[in-house]
């Protein structure tokens, strides 16, 4: 039996508001995170991802109160990331109502943190958030970035994702920093490259603009497709994306808006 492709709206939060830009710059306000999360749950989203995009760059933890309010509002899995550096951070966010935790900068700074989190809570709660872009100096041609794409980590993306999974990451959120916010399409070559080196669930992020783009990502090997701009600004609905995936032959969950 095939596994349904998940459709996931992403709430990038800065200073308590959902924002969206292009390549993580020129951010525009997109609304209240709790209200948007509620709406997406009602529209049939399979999960919601909540990322505090300034947490690592500003050296502060994700806002617990907002996580709690969001978790109380949605009745689908909630992934939370931003500023996670330790197993204790994960414990705190799970207690606030998160179902899964994303880690990026903290894992790069200290890879053993991945193993500590997986050992304590199980790898099913741990999502490696991988902000990657094309980087000629890396063996695979893809490099890892941190701090919202503002810094190169000096790591090869494929080597890092393989190491992270070996340490205990249970899922990969692959965000193309080159495609992010452009609505020009997912980086299907990058998706295919990461899919070729790990077998854990892979979430594709960055570049969605049309229903066809989501289909392309699924064909490249993504188990889930994530987007922000097209959902926040009403370009596409969750139902339209699911209908397009189903028409292309992929299984989708048909609860909520499609039931």
């Amino acid at each position: 039996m095939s596994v349904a492709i998940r459709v996931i709206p992403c709430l990038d939060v800065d200073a308590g508001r959902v924002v969206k830009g292009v390549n993580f710059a020129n951010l525009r306000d997109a609304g209240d995170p709790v209200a948007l999360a509620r709406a997406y749950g009602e529209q049939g989203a399979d999960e919601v991802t909540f990322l505090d995009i300034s947490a690592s760059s500003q050296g502060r933890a994700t806002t617990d109160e907002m996580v709690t309010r969001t978790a109380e509002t949605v009745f689908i899995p909630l992934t939370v990331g931003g500023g996670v550096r330790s197993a204790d951070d994960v414990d705190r966010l799970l207690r606030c109502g998160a179902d899964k935790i994303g880690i990026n900068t903290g894992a790069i700074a200290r890879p053993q943190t991945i193993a500590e989190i997986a050992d304590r809570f199980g790898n099913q709660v741990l999502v490696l958030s991988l902000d990657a872009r094309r980087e000629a100096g890396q063996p695979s041609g893809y490099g890892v970035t941190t701090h919202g794409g503002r810094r190169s980590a000096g790591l090869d993306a494929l080597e890092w994702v393989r190491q992270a999974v070996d340490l205990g990451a249970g899922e990969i959120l692959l965000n193309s920093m080159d495609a992010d916010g452009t609505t020009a399409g997912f980086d299907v070559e990058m998706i295919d490259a990461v899919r070729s080196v790990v077998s854990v669930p892979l979430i594709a992020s960055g570049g969605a603009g049309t229903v066809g783009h989501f289909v392309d990502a699924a064909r490249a090997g993504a188990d889930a497709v994530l987007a922000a701009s097209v959902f926040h600004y009403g370009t596409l609905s969750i139902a339209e994306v699911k209908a397009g995936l189903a028409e292309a032959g992929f299984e989708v969950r048909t609860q909520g808006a499609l039931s």
Side-chain angles (χ1 to χ4, degrees), residues 219-232:
R219 285 177 173 153
D223 300 284
V225 285
L226 178 148
S229 301
V230 291
F231 295 143
H232 299 341

Side-chain angles (χ1 to χ4, degrees), residues 151-227:
R151 301 183 193 174
S152 170
L155 296 172
D156 180 84
L158 299 192
E159 291 178 6
W160 170 234
V161 76
R162 190 185 293 113
Q163 180 188 0
V165 170
D166 287 345
L167 285 167
E171 192 165 23
I172 305 299
L173 169 52
L174 175 64
N175 186 38
S176 168
M177 301 308 295
D178 297 316
D180 178 78
T182 65
T183 68
F186 292 93
D187 189 333
V188 293
E189 292 180 354
M190 182 186 290
I191 295 167
D192 180 69
V194 172
R195 176 79 290 163
S196 72
V197 298
V198 294
S199 59
V200 299
L202 175 62
I203 306 167
S205 170
T210 68
V211 170
H213 292 158
F214 290 91
V215 173
D216 291 342
R219 285 177 173 153
D223 300 284
V225 285
L226 178 148

Side-chain angles (χ1 to χ4, degrees), residues 235-250:
T235 307
L236 296 173
S237 68
I238 302 291
E240 287 173 325
V241 172
K242 287 192 171 188
L245 287 165
E247 186 176 340
F250 293 99

Side-chain angles (χ1 to χ4, degrees), residues 25-257:
N26 301 315
L27 300 178
R28 287 195 293 158
D29 187 282
D32 174 69
V34 178
L36 278 171
R38 181 188 302 115
Y40 289 136
E42 293 170 350
Q43 291 168 22
D46 296 303
E47 300 179 13
V48 171
T49 293
F50 167 68
L51 299 177
D52 188 333
I53 64 171
S54 59
S56 291
S57 64
Q58 296 179 5
R60 60 178 171 78
T62 303
T63 307
D64 294 1
E65 182 266 344
M66 187 170 300
V67 174
T68 300
R69 289 173 55 221
T70 305
E72 289 172 346
T73 301
V74 299
F75 303 98
I76 53 178
L78 171 63
T79 298
V80 178
V84 175
R85 294 180 177 83
S86 69
D88 287 343
D89 288 337
V90 172
D91 182 65
R92 188 186 75 254
L93 291 167
L94 292 175
R95 290 177 187 276
C96 287
D99 297 288
K100 295 187 285 188
I101 306 299
I103 187 170
N104 181 355
T105 306
I108 293 168
R110 186 174 177 272
Q112 188 59 27
T113 303
I114 296 174
E116 292 168 358
I117 293 169
D119 289 345
R120 185 166 164 184
F121 303 104
N123 66 358
Q124 76 282 352
V125 308
L126 184 57
V127 180
L128 180 77
S129 184
L130 174 63
D131 292 340
R133 64 173 10 123
R134 291 168 189 267
E135 192 174 322
Q138 297 298 339
S140 70
Y142 301 105
V144 179
T145 70
T146 64
H147 297 77
R150 289 185 287 276
R151 301 183 193 174
S152 170
L155 296 172
D156 180 84
L158 299 192
E159 291 178 6
W160 170 234
V161 76
R162 190 185 293 113
Q163 180 188 0
V165 170
D166 287 345
L167 285 167
E171 192 165 23
I172 305 299
L173 169 52
L174 175 64
N175 186 38
S176 168
M177 301 308 295
D178 297 316
D180 178 78
T182 65
T183 68
F186 292 93
D187 189 333
V188 293
E189 292 180 354
M190 182 186 290
I191 295 167
D192 180 69
V194 172
R195 176 79 290 163
S196 72
V197 298
V198 294
S199 59
V200 299
L202 175 62
I203 306 167
S205 170
T210 68
V211 170
H213 292 158
F214 290 91
V215 173
D216 291 342
R219 285 177 173 153
D223 300 284
V225 285
L226 178 148
S229 301
V230 291
F231 295 143
H232 299 341
Y233 302 125
T235 307
L236 296 173
S237 68
I238 302 291
E240 287 173 325
V241 172
K242 287 192 171 188
L245 287 165
E247 186 176 340
F250 293 99
E251 183 179 345
V252 294
R253 296 189 181 98
T254 55
Q255 83 277 23

